[in-house]
Amino acid sequence: MIRVLLGHRGTLLRGALATVFATEDDLEVVAVLGHLDDILPASVRERPDVMVLDAHLPGAGGIDAVARRSSAGGVLVLSDRDLPAAASLRLVRQAPRVGLIGTDTSPGELVGAIRKIARGQTVLDSGLMLAAIRVKDNPLTDRECEVLKLVTTGATAQEVARKLCLSAGTVRNYLSRILAKTHARSRIEAIRKAEQAGWI
């Protein structure tokens, strides 16, 4: 039996996918979640074999960071074609433990991909992989990307510091390095440049 943890932002799709998985004799849905912040605690508690995660789950840290830190045997990320190429590249680099599949796949193909991930086989969507290969190198570290993503929500340096368990001074240092690396004059410009380049 393959224990599956499902994380998806859409209530309707979450329910539909959980129903599809439940009809399979060899799949057991152990958790259904709608927020990125809930994924890691649930994976520790439920010990899934495979986590099936929406690439655009709301929450801090980013889907690639959650996939990297997860204790699950494998992670299958569902993405549409607008996933930033840099995020695709970070996911592709984690193969075969992490798989990447398009949201335009059929239910049967999705179930088959879950089984492949559970067996340790590689699952990579060719279109998403091609976009990832063409991405420019991201000058920002994972932590700098985390900080910048939180800044996009309007969070202050103090709020970012609390969220990431850092000091406000450390966050300000990260922001200074981000501005230098992106050649931006302001946080807004840094966000715009990073988003356009697919770094966050």
Side-chain angles (χ1 to χ4, degrees):
M1 187 67 75
I2 301 170
R3 294 170 59 79
V4 178
L5 181 151
L6 172 62
H8 201 287
R9 63 191 148 153
T11 305
L12 180 61
L13 283 175
R14 222 173 28 239
L17 288 173
T19 300
V20 168
F21 298 162
T23 63
E24 300 294 324
D25 292 339
D26 59 341
L27 302 185
E28 178 189 1
V29 180
V30 296
V32 180
L33 306 164
H35 203 277
L36 199 56
D37 297 343
D38 300 327
I39 299 297
L40 290 178
S43 72
V44 171
R45 186 174 60 250
E46 301 296 342
R47 301 195 179 280
D49 300 305
V50 178
M51 296 198 312
V52 178
L53 304 178
D54 173 10
H56 300 286
L57 267 174
I63 195 72
D64 53 301
V66 168
R68 187 173 57 253
R69 294 172 188 162
S70 161
S71 59
V75 179
L76 182 61
V77 177
L78 290 166
S79 177
D80 47 27
R81 302 296 168 187
D82 66 354
L83 181 67
S88 295
L89 182 60
R90 289 192 294 270
L91 291 166
V92 165
R93 285 176 175 159
Q94 297 182 60
R97 186 181 156 272
V98 175
L100 187 59
I101 193 166
T103 53
D104 54 355
T105 191
S106 72
E109 289 170 326
L110 178 57
V111 168
I114 292 170
R115 292 180 179 128
K116 284 183 178 179
I117 290 288
R119 291 193 298 265
Q121 296 175 309
T122 301
V123 175
L124 292 174
D125 180 277
S126 58
L128 293 168
M129 194 169 76
L130 185 59
I133 291 167
R134 292 178 175 164
V135 71
K136 293 178 184 176
D137 285 339
N138 182 356
L140 305 177
T141 65
D142 286 347
R143 181 60 100 178
E144 288 165 350
C145 288
E146 260 185 313
V147 168
L148 196 55
K149 281 177 194 171
L150 287 171
V151 171
T152 65
T153 67
T156 65
Q158 289 78 13
E159 290 167 338
V160 172
R162 278 195 299 274
K163 185 76 177 173
L164 299 179
C165 300
L166 301 169
S167 72
T170 299
V171 170
R172 283 192 288 274
N173 288 339
Y174 277 126
L175 290 170
S176 293
R177 285 200 293 270
I178 289 166
L179 292 179
K181 288 180 177 181
T182 58
H183 306 290
R185 290 178 297 243
S186 69
R187 294 176 188 182
I188 304 262
E189 187 181 357
I191 290 167
R192 181 180 54 77
K193 287 185 171 186
E195 287 179 337
Q196 286 175 347
W199 298 333
I200 61 170

